[in-house]
Amino acid sequence: MEETSMIIAMMIFFIIANLALGFWSARRTKNSEDYMLGDRKMGTGVLIFTTFATSLGAGDMLGYPALGYIQGWSSLHFILAMPVVIIIMALTVGKRYYDLKVTTISDLVCRIYGENKYLRIIPSICISLGMLSWLAAQYSAFGKTLNLLTGADPLIGLLIGAALFISYTVVGGLVSVIYTDVLQGVFLAIGVIAVFIAVTMHGGGFVEVQQGLPADYSTFIGPVGTITILMFWLNKGLSRFTNFPYWQRIGSAKDSKTGIRGIILGMVVTGILGVALALTGMAAYKINPGGMSDPEMIFAEYSVSLFPKWLAGFFLGALWAAILSSAAGFLNSSTTLLGHDLWFKVIKKGQRSEGALLKDLRIITLVIGVGTLLIAWLVPSVLSLFIWAGVWLTPPLIPVLCAAIFDKKGDKIPKNYLILSMILSGIVGVVFEMVPSLKALLSGGTIPAFVTSLVIILIGAIVGYFNKNHRNNMNTPRVL
């Protein structure tokens, strides 16, 4: 009991420091742009920390060691897919997104194709649903972690975690989110590396751990197989292109080069820490082959068993840091998408004073934060919530790629095809996810949703090409 109290005390200390920094940094939030974009003054170092702190959330801290435990080196496909795709996003659209000085992804699409309420609200609603699924997963993970340590009802932990990050996110917006991410990132990086080293040494060292693994654990194909690896890259990676928190952080930088550089380096750190978590799981397999009752608890259990209790509290603070940083980032991103695109641009039609809009955004943040508790209560499975996040992020993917890369002038694809592609993509993704016989065919709804959207966009490009040529021919004067 005394040891548990010491662990809880260290974690409470972390929480107090986190809240203090969150409310202190909120003083920099002066207007709605600060609330949504962090005042566009962030440097490379801050962006690195906020990027990997947002990236490594509850599912990663719990799931990556479990993947290493049951899949060996082949788990790295799942772990590295998202960082690779986000780096590609930063390199391909980062500069254009920053230079246009837009606030959301829908702003970018409407800037290219012209203002249209469907082009504005469909991407924002879909991406927000993805963000809210991840947010609900952070709630659930917080509750499960507290239950592991104290035996308390997970609902209690869920409510405590929600109260923490909702409070400073409501007050300070993205400014508070980013600065608390720096603190959380320090906890996170130290904790992941220290636990990886300790568990690996406990298993006899890196070489002995690797030699003690099953033969198929030592290959990049491993026990999962080629098809599953392909699904990793498509499901985990491709849909993350529209993961708005990273677009938002590019927009918060002091210039486009800083934003792109910060995202790339942050994703490199994300990949390194993700690999360290997977290797921790492999070492745990060497120590206890097939005997872990719940591989998702590897990080927490070995933190408690291998370190002095005050230090274990520090490392479990790293676990809570991952949960809080991701949750606050998703909450602010959802507020930005729904508050800017749905509330301000469509419902209020841009007619809202600066002071009123900032107040509105804070209320929307509170409503979203509290409302998402219901999702976490109804769907307690962290894994299920992550899967649904990928499904919802897919519908806007192809239209966003067109607007950002392939159709920069907005004259190649009729906008109605963009709208249709997102609607049908969303329907297909949900159907494939809900119907077990269909879900088994392609590992869920992400891939069918992507293919549906792609086919419609290709048809739209063909129609747009012929329409453009027809207009040109009609406008060409005939020579008699």
Side-chain angles (χ1 to χ4, degrees):
M1 184 66 182
E2 183 177 342
E3 293 179 344
T4 300
S5 299
M6 186 177 297
I7 294 174
I8 296 297
M10 286 299 300
M11 297 176 77
I12 290 174
F13 172 78
F14 161 75
I15 289 171
I16 293 173
N18 192 79
L19 287 173
L21 179 59
F23 285 108
W24 174 82
S25 59
R27 299 179 304 167
R28 294 184 57 172
T29 301
K30 306 297 183 184
N31 52 51
S32 61
E33 185 171 274
D34 293 345
Y35 199 89
M36 295 184 288
L37 291 172
D39 72 12
R40 293 188 185 272
K41 294 179 181 178
M42 301 300 169
T44 301
V46 170
L47 289 172
I48 291 172
F49 276 95
T50 187
T51 297
F52 78 77
T54 298
S55 302
L56 291 174
D60 309 310
M61 293 290 288
L62 301 179
Y64 287 176
L67 284 174
Y69 187 85
I70 62 178
Q71 295 176 357
W73 283 88
S74 61
S75 64
L76 299 193
H77 291 281
F78 185 87
I79 291 168
L80 297 178
M82 190 267 285
V84 169
V85 168
I86 296 300
I87 288 173
I88 292 172
M89 180 277 289
L91 290 172
T92 54
V93 305
K95 187 176 188 305
R96 182 170 175 78
Y97 180 77
Y98 188 93
D99 290 346
L100 288 174
K101 300 299 182 184
V102 293
T103 300
T104 65
I105 291 176
S106 293
D107 272 349
L108 172 65
V109 176
C110 289
R111 182 72 64 89
I112 303 303
Y113 290 100
E115 186 63 40
N116 179 286
K117 65 179 180 179
Y118 299 108
L119 286 181
R120 181 167 290 283
I121 64 175
I122 293 175
S124 285
I125 288 177
C126 287
I127 297 170
S128 293
L129 287 171
M131 298 295 98
L132 294 177
S133 296
W134 273 321
L135 176 57
Q138 311 310 313
Y139 288 152
S140 297
F142 202 100
K144 289 181 178 180
T145 305
L146 191 64
N147 172 259
L148 172 70
L149 293 172
T150 66
D153 189 322
L155 180 60
I156 296 175
L158 188 150
L159 294 172
I160 293 173
L164 290 173
F165 60 77
I166 289 174
S167 61
Y168 65 77
T169 307
V170 165
V171 175
L174 188 61
V175 173
S176 289
V177 170
I178 287 178
Y179 278 99
T180 51
D181 277 354
V182 174
L183 172 65
Q184 293 155 358
V186 171
F187 271 79
L188 186 58
I190 295 174
V192 169
I193 297 300
V195 172
F196 156 64
I197 293 173
V199 178
T200 300
M201 296 304 295
H202 188 60
F206 182 81
V207 174
E208 187 171 332
V209 165
Q210 295 303 312
Q211 291 176 343
L213 297 176
D216 57 355
Y217 273 44
S218 301
T219 71
F220 285 103
I221 300 299
V224 299
T226 305
I227 299 299
T228 302
I229 288 171
L230 177 61
M231 298 303 172
F232 279 175
W233 282 91
L234 291 173
N235 287 337
K236 173 74 171 177
L238 192 59
S239 64
R240 294 332 188 245
F241 197 96
T242 53
N243 202 347
F244 181 60
Y246 306 107
W247 295 66
Q248 198 178 18
R249 276 147 183 77
I250 290 175
S252 72
K254 61 183 180 182
D255 55 62
S256 61
K257 289 184 179 179
T258 299
I260 294 169
R261 182 168 57 244
I263 291 293
I264 291 174
L265 294 175
M267 278 299 151
V268 170
V269 176
T270 298
I272 293 171
L273 295 179
V275 171
L277 287 167
L279 291 172
T280 302
M282 295 180 212
Y285 184 92
K286 167 64 170 54
I287 298 167
N288 188 9
M292 293 290 298
S293 59
D294 185 359
E296 289 190 352
M297 290 292 104
I298 286 174
F299 185 92
E301 289 188 13
Y302 280 102
S303 294
V304 173
S305 63
L306 296 181
F307 292 94
K309 297 305 175 265
W310 67 270
L311 198 53
F314 179 91
F315 295 146
L316 290 174
L319 177 58
W320 277 12
I323 296 171
L324 291 174
S325 58
S326 294
F330 296 144
L331 177 56
N332 180 258
S333 293
S334 299
T335 296
T336 299
L337 292 167
L338 297 177
H340 176 76
D341 290 321
L342 183 60
W343 175 255
F344 179 60
K345 289 289 188 178
V346 175
I347 296 177
K348 291 298 181 180
K349 302 184 185 303
Q351 304 300 313
R352 201 70 171 149
S353 68
E354 176 55 47
L357 179 58
L358 181 57
K359 181 180 178 181
D360 291 345
L361 290 171
R362 285 175 169 148
I363 293 173
I364 291 169
T365 302
L366 181 61
V367 170
I368 292 174
V370 174
T372 311
L373 283 169
L374 180 62
I375 300 175
W377 180 63
L378 293 174
V379 187
S381 170
V382 175
L383 179 59
S384 296
L385 291 165
F386 280 133
I387 291 172
W388 275 108
V391 172
W392 286 118
L393 286 174
T394 303
L397 175 59
I398 303 298
V400 168
L401 288 173
C402 292
I405 301 174
F406 303 115
D407 193 12
K408 293 183 178 181
K409 294 183 180 179
D411 59 354
K412 295 180 180 178
I413 303 170
K415 65 178 66 175
N416 288 337
Y417 284 86
L418 299 173
I419 297 169
L420 182 64
S421 76
M422 289 187 284
I423 293 173
L424 292 183
S425 175
I427 292 172
V428 169
V430 170
V431 169
F432 267 79
E433 201 60 49
M434 293 291 291
V435 180
S437 59
L438 293 176
K439 182 175 181 177
L441 293 176
L442 291 168
S443 298
T446 301
I447 297 170
F450 173 78
V451 172
T452 300
S453 182
L454 179 60
V455 169
I456 294 172
I457 291 294
L458 289 175
I459 295 172
I462 295 170
V463 172
Y465 173 79
F466 283 109
N467 286 344
K468 184 178 180 180
N469 285 346
H470 177 70
R471 288 193 299 269
N472 291 338
N473 290 336
M474 292 291 291
N475 293 331
T476 301
R478 297 182 179 179
V479 179
L480 300 178

